[in-house]
Amino acid sequence: AHPQWPIAAISSAWPDDADAILEANNEAGPMCLRVNLGQQSREDYLSQLAEANIKAQPGTLSPSAVYLEKPGAVETLPGFYDGRVSVQDEAAQLSAYLLAPEPDDTVLDACAAPGGKTGHLLEHQPNLKSLIALDADAQRLKRVADNLQRLKLAATLEHNRLETFAEQYSGPGFDRILLDAPCSATGVIRRHPDIKWLRKRADIRKLAATQTELLAIAFSLLKPGGTLLYATCSVLPQENERVIQQFLAQTTNAIEQPA
């Protein structure tokens, strides 16, 4: 149930796991929650779910992740409208822990919409000096505002392209930058099956060029000694390892930090 090009690309990138990846792409993804650990522990929230007769299990990678046995409406989740829990895939939750902002840090969340990672960064480190949530799409940026309002959190929203923002920005470098770069989304096909048919083989090279450019621009905004986290929802090395390798080869003052 895939066009030939993603089958070939995934098989080349993940020869031992290609069949499992393709099969997973044809299944509905589980509903994963992110518990706001600033308001309660994951164990407490699992107890609240049990009291509401909602079966769930803790995740294994993110300390805030909870998987529901069956997907359900957010209205049924205890504390959803109080900001105690959000819907977010477990892999996406890792961004806040990997970026690891500290108190009084200045943070730039580039390509921030729809705001899941923005909210998590603020939950994870409530004592930031500032956080700018940047996105080129005004409608999607409004979703960031809506998400932050539900979570009762605040950030500076910036409707702008990263290139233009970098040209106009005159402040000090950021301590932490999250670049959730535009990509082929080949890692979230089970959430968006139409990606299989909308994406074309030629898109990958164009996206990789854009990602390499955005990575260099984001790095120019980083304070010496700061941390930049590059993230995509692609499973293809052309958009991940190879972008990083090319960037490091061209940027002598950048150092890769293994996770």
Side-chain angles (χ1 to χ4, degrees), residues 168-174 221:
Q168 298 173 345
Y169 183 72
S170 58
F174 292 91
L221 293 166

Side-chain angles (χ1 to χ4, degrees), residues 110-149:
C111 311
K117 295 182 180 69
T118 310
H120 194 196
L121 285 167
L122 291 164
E123 289 175 0
H124 180 64
Q125 181 48 262
N127 297 314
L128 295 176
K129 183 176 182 180
S130 65
L131 188 151
I132 295 177
L134 172 76
D135 205 272
D137 189 319
Q139 285 298 112
R140 283 172 55 79
L141 194 62
K142 185 180 183 303
R143 292 183 62 190
V144 180
D146 293 341
N147 278 320
L148 292 179
Q149 183 177 24

Side-chain angles (χ1 to χ4, degrees), residues 159-178:
H159 174 216
N160 214 335
R161 294 170 58 85
L162 180 59
E163 302 93 314
T164 308
F165 175 80
E167 292 172 357
Q168 298 173 345
Y169 183 72
S170 58
F174 292 91
D175 295 292
R176 300 284 193 277
I177 296 177
L178 170 60

Side-chain angles (χ1 to χ4, degrees), residues 95 98-99 101 105-111 121 132 134 162 165 169 172-180 214-223 226-231:
S95 291
L98 290 170
L99 193 61
D105 273 356
T106 56
V107 178
L108 172 64
D109 185 359
C111 311
L121 285 167
I132 295 177
L134 172 76
L162 180 59
F165 175 80
Y169 183 72
F174 292 91
D175 295 292
R176 300 284 193 277
I177 296 177
L178 170 60
L179 175 61
D180 193 359
L214 292 176
L215 184 54
I217 294 170
F219 187 75
S220 72
L221 293 166
L222 191 66
K223 179 185 297 184
T227 300
L228 188 158
L229 178 64
Y230 173 79

Side-chain angles (χ1 to χ4, degrees), residues 221-241:
L221 293 166
L222 191 66
K223 179 185 297 184
T227 300
L228 188 158
L229 178 64
Y230 173 79
T232 77
C233 49
S234 169
V235 295
L236 302 180
Q238 295 96 317
E239 301 178 80
N240 295 312
E241 296 95 325

Side-chain angles (χ1 to χ4, degrees), residues 3-256:
Q4 186 56 42
W5 82 262
I7 294 176
I10 291 171
S11 297
S12 175
W14 305 97
D16 296 334
D17 303 298
D19 288 346
I21 293 171
L22 295 169
E23 289 175 9
N25 285 346
N26 292 328
E27 300 174 357
M31 187 169 178
C32 185
L33 309 180
R34 183 188 79 235
V35 178
N36 184 344
L37 299 182
Q39 296 195 28
Q40 78 263 284
S41 69
R42 179 167 64 177
E43 291 71 22
D44 285 344
Y45 194 73
L46 284 167
S47 297
Q48 294 166 33
L49 288 172
E51 291 172 4
N53 294 317
I54 299 174
K55 294 182 179 180
Q57 296 292 332
T60 58
L61 299 175
S62 164
S64 49
V66 167
Y67 285 91
L68 300 187
E69 185 176 284
K70 295 180 180 179
V74 294
E75 292 84 358
T76 66
L77 299 174
F80 178 79
Y81 290 110
D82 297 325
R84 287 191 279 131
V85 69
S86 300
V87 179
Q88 187 180 40
D89 279 339
E90 186 170 16
Q93 295 181 32
L94 296 179
S95 291
Y97 299 112
L98 290 170
L99 193 61
E102 299 181 351
D104 294 322
D105 273 356
T106 56
V107 178
L108 172 64
D109 185 359
C111 311
K117 295 182 180 69
T118 310
H120 194 196
L121 285 167
L122 291 164
E123 289 175 0
H124 180 64
Q125 181 48 262
N127 297 314
L128 295 176
K129 183 176 182 180
S130 65
L131 188 151
I132 295 177
L134 172 76
D135 205 272
D137 189 319
Q139 285 298 112
R140 283 172 55 79
L141 194 62
K142 185 180 183 303
R143 292 183 62 190
V144 180
D146 293 341
N147 278 320
L148 292 179
Q149 183 177 24
R150 180 183 64 82
L151 295 170
K152 300 177 178 62
L153 298 170
T156 300
L157 304 188
E158 176 80 20
H159 174 216
N160 214 335
R161 294 170 58 85
L162 180 59
E163 302 93 314
T164 308
F165 175 80
E167 292 172 357
Q168 298 173 345
Y169 183 72
S170 58
F174 292 91
D175 295 292
R176 300 284 193 277
I177 296 177
L178 170 60
L179 175 61
D180 193 359
C183 70
S184 64
T186 47
V188 291
I189 287 176
R190 65 182 183 179
R191 301 288 186 203
H192 307 281
D194 54 336
I195 290 168
K196 290 186 290 187
W197 310 102
L198 293 176
R199 288 284 182 264
K200 306 300 179 186
R201 185 191 301 272
D203 294 339
I204 306 304
R205 179 175 294 180
K206 296 176 182 176
L207 285 164
T210 298
Q211 292 153 359
T212 302
E213 178 184 2
L214 292 176
L215 184 54
I217 294 170
F219 187 75
S220 72
L221 293 166
L222 191 66
K223 179 185 297 184
T227 300
L228 188 158
L229 178 64
Y230 173 79
T232 77
C233 49
S234 169
V235 295
L236 302 180
Q238 295 96 317
E239 301 178 80
N240 295 312
E241 296 95 325
R242 295 182 192 173
V243 169
I244 296 296
Q245 290 165 2
Q246 182 178 344
F247 169 74
L248 291 172
Q250 298 172 344
T251 314
T252 56
N253 59 333
I255 301 172
E256 185 176 11

